[in-house]
Amino acid sequence: MPSHHRHDRPASPADAQAQRGEAAAVAWSAPTRTGAAAGATTTLDALPLPDRPGARLSGSCDLDTRQDLKAALGAVVRIPGPVVHLDLSAVAFLDPAAVAALVGASAALRGEGRRLLLHDPPYSLRKVVEMFPDECAALEVAA
């Protein structure tokens, strides 16, 4: 997982506005029911980053929020720019399927000559990467 990165800024205020507009499509909150406890909810929220192209995820990425993560990553890969940032600092947990979805999103952007740069990944992502380094080679984490 390379740790080199640069902060890409939009070329103009108009470009910045367009990127924020595209990123706004990422924002939503989708509570889903968990089977573990009656009445418990697990949510995954995605909001656009205010200062660069990308999004901030918060919540948990697991079986209960898998469809929400898929939708969020679908919107994230459509955000324009050579580097798309994904802030994971508020993500409590990523299961292996969620890590695989991140790998897929990163690979999709690389196929377009772009990058997905992950910021502040949770411990669970780091452990999956340690266990499956070859499968997770497409992931790039900011230093």
Side-chain angles (χ1 to χ4, degrees):
M1 290 184 356
S3 61
H4 303 289
H5 70 282
R6 66 176 196 256
H7 293 285
D8 293 310
R9 299 287 182 207
S12 71
D15 290 339
Q17 183 63 33
Q19 288 173 349
R20 280 191 293 278
E22 181 74 21
V26 177
W28 81 93
S29 175
T32 56
R33 296 278 170 204
T34 65
T41 59
T42 301
T43 61
L44 177 65
D45 298 321
L47 297 170
L49 294 172
D51 60 341
R52 56 190 167 193
R56 179 176 190 260
L57 297 181
S58 62
S60 186
C61 300
D62 54 27
L63 178 62
D64 294 326
T65 59
R66 191 154 298 147
Q67 292 304 314
D68 299 332
L69 177 62
K70 181 180 177 181
L73 292 177
V76 165
V77 299
R78 290 189 307 269
I79 295 172
V83 177
V84 178
H85 301 267
L86 190 58
D87 180 352
L88 300 173
S89 62
V91 172
F93 177 76
L94 286 153
D95 71 5
V99 175
L102 288 174
V103 169
S106 182
L109 286 173
R110 281 193 184 202
E112 299 173 1
R114 303 186 313 136
R115 298 167 46 214
L116 178 64
L117 187 58
L118 306 177
H119 296 268
D120 300 313
Y123 177 78
S124 54
L125 180 129
R126 295 191 306 265
K127 289 308 291 180
V128 171
V129 170
E130 283 178 21
M131 293 181 342
F132 303 102
D134 294 336
E135 292 83 352
C136 296
L139 296 179
E140 184 177 356
V141 177

